[in-house]
Amino acid sequence: MLTVDFSRFPLAPGDRVLDLGCGAGRHAFECYRRGAQVVALDQNGEEIREVAKWFAAMEEAGEAPAGASATAMEGDALNLPFPDDSFDVVIISEVMEHIPDDKGVLAEMVRVLRPGGRIAVTVPRYGPEKVCWALSDAYHEVEGGHIRIYRGDELLGKMREAGLEPYGTHHAHGLHSPYWWLKCAFGVDNDKALPVQAYHKLLVWDIMKKPLATRLAERALNPVIGKSFVVYATKPHLPQPAAAEAGEAASTPAAEPAAGTTTKARKAASGTKSGAKAPAKSGAKPAVKASAKRSAGAAK
């Protein structure tokens, strides 16, 4: 289940992609399939180990084209272990609502994104998220839970303040909002409630089969109750410094960038590579179904 719409956020083979706070790796896997050079980073070591296994399984099954690469690694979103301008694309999906210093995360993403590069940010949408908070304290008052609800204009403002230029927005996962309202109403840890079980089966069926009826329903529901708010933006190129005099244009060195706009390149931390021992091919397809079932509850 993808939140980023790659028809609005095109990816070219060979693009260097950072999936920041990758979680179970759904966007990282899609980028790998599209031929990108992917780094999936998360602070959760257990999830990163699973993502590394999936990368290896995909490589073994021939799901990624020649030239694609994939690395899974643990890391801190506020202190990324990469030099400036390391990536062509950065994706951060359903992560910023968990982090107190969201401005710090945006600053780090902008730092490692090259000028002209693209970024996709997704967060829970204000309206559906507000309903979840009203129905259940347990939904958000947990360690590592949601600490804020973004209004669309607030998120856009913070991205512009960080130096990004938003160029598109939309809402996603309209079918998932009622599921989370049911979870909050019956208890976020109560998976045995019949309405919750029934709706979960619907979502798994939708993810696995993609029937026309649910595709049309979600398309109609997204503008109204879409669970996620998605923003696409670019990092502008730095303006070229003007020569003090026209005759010195060819020989005048470029002006130093403003203090704080670059940092000393840090040695990239080594991560788990896609060349790790791959699981048998026969295990890949069943795991896809299991992943789809987990994905039915992934939109936070």
Side-chain angles (χ1 to χ4, degrees):
M1 183 189 71
L2 299 174
T3 307
V4 172
D5 182 351
F6 286 95
S7 68
R8 310 184 197 210
F9 190 68
L11 201 67
D15 275 351
R16 301 163 297 167
V17 178
L18 172 63
D19 185 2
L20 182 56
C22 64
R26 56 202 172 105
H27 289 105
F29 300 148
E30 181 64 20
C31 294
Y32 189 32
R33 291 188 187 98
R34 290 171 179 261
Q37 298 174 11
V38 184
V39 175
L41 184 144
D42 200 285
Q43 67 177 1
N44 187 317
E46 183 177 346
E47 287 195 310
I48 282 298
R49 286 187 288 273
E50 284 298 311
V51 170
K53 290 177 183 178
W54 273 98
F55 280 150
M58 291 171 67
E59 182 181 36
E60 179 72 13
E63 290 189 32
S69 65
T71 300
M73 61 186 297
E74 290 184 57
D76 181 359
L78 290 166
N79 187 24
L80 295 174
F82 310 111
D84 298 353
D85 308 335
S86 293
F87 296 96
D88 303 298
V89 173
V90 176
I91 297 172
I92 183 166
S93 182
E94 311 300 300
V95 173
M96 288 179 56
E97 67 275 10
H98 297 271
I99 302 176
D101 186 8
D102 58 344
K103 290 185 178 181
V105 172
L106 279 169
E108 272 294 88
M109 289 190 292
V110 171
R111 180 184 68 78
V112 301
L113 183 66
R114 68 166 176 81
R118 290 158 290 122
I119 188 168
V121 179
T122 90
V123 297
R125 185 182 184 178
Y126 183 85
E129 184 77 348
K130 197 75 173 177
V131 173
C132 289
W133 283 43
L135 289 172
S136 172
D137 290 336
Y139 170 80
H140 63 95
E141 290 183 356
V142 294
E143 184 178 355
H146 298 187
I147 63 170
R148 70 173 63 82
I149 305 177
Y150 287 101
R151 291 187 180 275
D153 56 356
E154 176 193 3
L155 179 59
L156 288 166
K158 288 186 176 183
M159 291 176 67
R160 291 188 180 102
E161 185 181 341
L164 295 167
E165 293 182 352
Y167 67 84
T169 67
H170 65 90
H171 300 100
H173 309 317
L175 287 176
H176 287 249
S177 290
Y179 171 73
W180 281 101
W181 296 340
L182 288 171
K183 288 274 288 181
C184 290
F186 286 94
V188 290
D189 297 319
N190 181 12
D191 293 327
K192 294 182 179 180
L194 291 180
V196 174
Q197 288 184 336
Y199 206 102
H200 186 266
K201 288 180 180 179
L202 169 68
L203 293 180
V204 172
W205 176 64
D206 172 58
I207 291 169
M208 296 299 297
K209 302 297 184 181
K210 297 181 173 59
L212 179 61
T214 57
R215 295 297 84 215
L216 292 175
E218 182 150 88
R219 188 180 303 173
L221 289 172
N222 279 343
V224 184
I225 58 169
K227 185 73 171 67
S228 295
F229 177 56
V230 188
V231 183
Y232 306 113
T234 59
K235 176 180 176 178
H237 289 278
L238 293 175
Q240 294 297 318
E245 297 180 8
E248 298 177 355
S251 59
T252 302
E256 290 294 324
T261 57
T262 61
T263 62
K264 185 177 181 180
R266 293 186 289 269
K267 184 178 180 181
S270 59
T272 305
K273 296 183 179 178
S274 61
K277 186 177 180 181
K281 291 183 183 179
S282 60
K285 289 187 178 179
V288 169
K289 293 183 179 180
S291 177
K293 291 181 180 180
R294 291 195 300 271
S295 295
K300 296 183 182 75

